[in-house]
Amino acid sequence: MASDELDDEKKGLFSKVTEPFHTVPCTRTAYLHGFASGLLSGVSTFLFTSNVRKASNLGVVTFALIMPGSFFYCRWKNFKKELEKQRSTPATIAPWRPDDESSDVINEMKET
């Protein structure tokens, strides 16, 4: 408990801000996809229309749509992969060991 508090004190502001990128799966790739698609759509819109306001608005909207979409798609894909991994591993069945009551019932059935 005390070591966690010391680690928090030693962490800088940059480390605290970037921690979700290392701990949450798919966060880094989702932000990269969102940033790249927003930049690409904004620059291409500016090249075709020469309107800075429209280009920046479209870039931000594209980022806001692509980033969560990419994040949830990646998480869904990881979930499916884990589900397939669980289905492919054979279930281990513990050997049956009768308890006292069931062994009495079995013995009674054998006697009759």
Side-chain angles (χ1 to χ4, degrees):
M1 188 63 122
S3 65
D4 291 338
E5 293 173 4
L6 291 175
D7 289 340
D8 289 339
E9 290 175 5
K10 289 181 183 177
K11 285 184 181 178
L13 178 63
F14 186 73
S15 296
K16 289 178 182 177
V17 170
T18 60
E19 188 173 355
F21 291 102
H22 304 293
T23 56
V24 179
C26 302
T27 305
R28 180 179 176 270
T29 56
Y31 271 99
L32 287 174
H33 288 157
F35 178 73
S37 61
L39 185 67
L40 183 67
S41 66
V43 168
S44 61
T45 302
F46 176 73
L47 290 176
F48 286 116
T49 63
S50 298
N51 188 347
V52 175
R53 185 178 193 155
K54 183 187 285 187
S56 60
N57 284 344
L58 185 67
V60 169
V61 167
T62 304
F63 171 79
L65 293 175
I66 297 293
M67 194 272 301
S70 175
F71 177 76
F72 288 121
Y73 176 73
C74 181
R75 292 296 296 252
W76 177 73
K77 193 169 61 171
N78 286 348
F79 172 74
K80 288 290 200 179
K81 199 181 299 181
E82 286 293 322
L83 195 62
E84 287 299 319
K85 189 188 300 182
Q86 287 177 358
R87 288 181 182 169
S88 67
T89 57
T92 56
I93 300 173
W96 181 71
R97 294 190 178 118
D99 55 347
D100 292 333
E101 293 177 11
S102 61
S103 62
D104 292 339
V105 172
I106 292 172
N107 290 334
E108 287 175 11
M109 291 175 68
K110 286 181 183 177
E111 291 174 0
T112 58

